């Protein structure tokens, strides 16, 4: 096929939840708007508290602060456009807009996978090698690990997005999703994508499965160390320091692996949308809640910040 025979696609149409009734779409808009605002406020609050309180100036909360920045970025990339498709039926997205959304989705997603693995390594060192923890997890080492996690998003986002949008799109432009994810977009390509799909599988293994295996290995060692502790109080305290992270990892990876490692035919498009909602919308909202409600240090720091902020006004 020659270039002259290809239809130039200048925009895409996000199917989103257009098959639902207008009343149900309005209810979804209110639900997702509430989740969006809670996500932004919760993660901003985590950033402010872990920055302002002197008791939280350690590696675990430094990485938590980075995770909150990632969650905010993840939400800003996906949710505003989804809300537009629900309330004003703004389902079109430009070719460049779709590529930009996909780029930052890959970027924040890959960076979060690596950051969660870094956080697991931090907990591993803290529990399994506590005497050397201040040396291994120095300020410089933490900064380097955080920077490496953020940087990991660039190569996968650049390669995947550039490759996808260099393919020819021959006319069909309806993306059966609520954002520009690669599987529904690549389905619109009128060329052989087998080489890209092999590369995409390799990238998925490297940036989803490999960090997950590192996390799994870290927690095997952590649990082994905890079970060998003689004191019940020591076991409880050690487990409490990593339980929040373990819950966040379970939520994020369970849905991500179900989405990207299942055969295409095994899940309907609507089922894939629900799975995608769980890790793009719901999990970013739950993370600050989990770290606030399950972490006594964060709750105590929040009370101190509120007391310092409101105290003078009461006097």
């Amino acid at each position: 096929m020659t270039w002259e025979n290809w239809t130039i696609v200048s925009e895409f149409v996000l199917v989103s939840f257009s098959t639902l009734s207008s009343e149900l779409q309005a209810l979804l808009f209110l639900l997702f708007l509430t989740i969006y605002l809670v996500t932004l406020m919760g993660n901003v609050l985590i950033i402010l508290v872990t920055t302002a309180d002197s008791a939280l100036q350690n590696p675990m909360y430094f990485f938590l602060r980075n995770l909150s920045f990632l969650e905010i970025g993840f939400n800003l990339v996906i949710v505003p456009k989804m809300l537009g498709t629900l309330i004003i039926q703004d389902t079109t997205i430009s070719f460049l807009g779709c590529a930009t959304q996909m780029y930052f989705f890959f970027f924040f997603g890959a960076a979060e996978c690596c950051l969660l693995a870094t956080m697991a390594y931090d907990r591993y060192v803290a529990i399994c090698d506590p005497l050397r923890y201040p040396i291994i997890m120095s300020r410089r080492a933490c900064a380097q690990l955080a920077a490496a996690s953020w940087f990991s998003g660039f190569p996968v986002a650049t390669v995947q997005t550039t490759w996808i949008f260099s393919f020819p799109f021959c006319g069909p432009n309806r993306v059966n999703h609520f954002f520009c994810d690669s599987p529904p977009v690549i389905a619109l390509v009128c060329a052989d994508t087998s080489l890209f799909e092999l590369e995409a599988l390799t990238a998925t293994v490297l940036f989803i499965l490999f960090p997950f295996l590192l996390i799994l290995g870290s927690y095997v060692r952590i649990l082994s160390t905890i079970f060998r502790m003689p004191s019940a109080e020591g076991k409880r305290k050690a487990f409490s320091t990593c339980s929040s992270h373990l819950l966040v990892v379970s939520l994020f990876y369970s849905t991500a692996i179900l989405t990207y490692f299942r055969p295409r035919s095994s899940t309907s498009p609507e089922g894939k949308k629900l799975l995608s909602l769980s890790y793009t919308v719901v999990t970013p909202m739950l993370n600050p809640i989990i770290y606030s409600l399950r972490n006594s240090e964060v709750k105590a720091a929040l009370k101190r910040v509120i007391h310092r902020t409101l105290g003078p006004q009461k006097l």
Side-chain angles (χ1 to χ4, degrees):
M1 183 179 293
T2 61
W3 280 94
E4 289 77 8
N5 293 331
W6 291 342
T7 303
I8 301 300
V9 173
S10 60
E11 65 180 20
F12 293 96
V13 176
L14 296 172
V15 174
S16 190
F17 302 99
S18 59
T19 57
L20 303 177
S21 66
S22 57
E23 293 81 7
L24 190 52
Q25 287 189 57
L27 288 175
L28 286 177
F29 170 79
L30 293 175
L31 174 63
F32 293 148
L33 178 62
T34 302
I35 292 174
Y36 178 60
L37 294 176
V38 170
T39 300
L40 293 181
M41 290 187 293
N43 282 290
V44 167
L45 190 61
I46 288 289
I47 292 169
L48 293 176
V49 169
T50 58
T51 302
D53 195 87
S54 58
L56 302 184
Q57 303 307 306
N58 60 51
M60 183 171 75
Y61 297 109
F62 169 75
F63 292 127
L64 176 58
R65 190 157 58 244
N66 276 267
L67 180 63
S68 290
F69 275 116
L70 278 175
E71 298 291 26
I72 290 171
F74 212 56
N75 249 237
L76 291 175
V77 168
I78 304 295
V79 180
K81 181 61 182 176
M82 182 180 67
L83 293 175
T85 65
L86 289 168
I87 194 63
I88 59 174
Q89 304 301 309
D90 180 21
T91 58
T92 60
I93 185 170
S94 68
F95 190 89
L96 180 60
C98 187
T100 302
Q101 187 183 55
M102 185 182 293
Y103 181 92
F104 283 104
F105 169 72
F106 282 140
F107 169 75
F108 286 118
E112 181 164 347
C113 288
C114 293
L115 185 63
L116 289 173
T118 299
M119 294 172 77
Y121 174 71
D122 170 68
R123 293 298 82 209
Y124 162 74
V125 177
I127 294 173
C128 299
D129 198 359
L131 295 180
R132 294 203 304 151
Y133 180 72
I135 299 171
I136 296 174
M137 301 303 293
S138 64
R139 186 183 295 268
R140 180 179 179 182
C142 290
Q144 290 173 338
L145 287 169
S149 298
W150 281 87
F151 180 77
S152 67
F154 283 110
V156 64
T158 303
V159 172
Q160 296 270 81
T161 308
T162 303
W163 199 339
I164 289 175
F165 286 92
S166 66
F167 282 122
F169 293 88
C170 302
N173 66 341
R174 291 175 62 82
V175 179
N176 195 3
H177 214 319
F178 57 85
F179 72 100
C180 287
D181 197 5
S182 60
V185 172
I186 206 70
L188 305 177
V189 169
C190 53
D192 181 16
T193 60
S194 55
L195 186 59
F196 168 79
E197 290 175 15
L198 179 61
E199 182 277 334
L201 178 61
T202 304
T204 302
V205 169
L206 286 175
F207 289 95
I208 295 181
L209 191 57
F210 184 65
F212 176 71
L213 292 176
L214 289 177
I215 294 169
L216 193 61
S218 296
Y219 274 104
V220 167
R221 295 292 302 275
I222 287 170
L223 292 175
S224 175
T225 301
I226 290 175
F227 289 142
R228 290 200 304 268
M229 291 179 176
S231 164
E233 177 64 21
K235 290 179 180 179
R236 187 197 62 79
K237 187 176 294 185
F239 187 75
S240 67
T241 64
C242 58
S243 59
S244 297
H245 177 256
L246 189 57
L247 184 55
V248 167
V249 166
S250 301
L251 288 170
F252 180 82
Y253 271 101
S254 59
T255 52
I257 289 174
L258 282 174
T259 302
Y260 292 103
F261 282 95
R262 293 182 71 179
R264 291 182 183 179
S265 59
S266 65
T267 308
S268 67
E270 300 307 315
K272 290 179 180 177
K273 290 176 190 177
L274 289 175
L275 285 173
S276 297
L277 278 173
S278 61
Y279 68 85
T280 59
V281 178
V282 178
T283 301
M285 176 195 70
L286 293 177
N287 287 354
I289 296 174
I290 291 169
Y291 275 103
S292 299
L293 297 181
R294 295 181 61 85
N295 191 305
S296 58
E297 291 182 335
V298 172
K299 287 190 287 187
L302 183 59
K303 290 178 182 177
R304 288 193 294 269
V305 170
I306 293 174
H307 177 75
R308 287 200 299 267
T309 304
L310 301 180
Q313 298 178 6
K314 296 180 179 179
L315 297 176

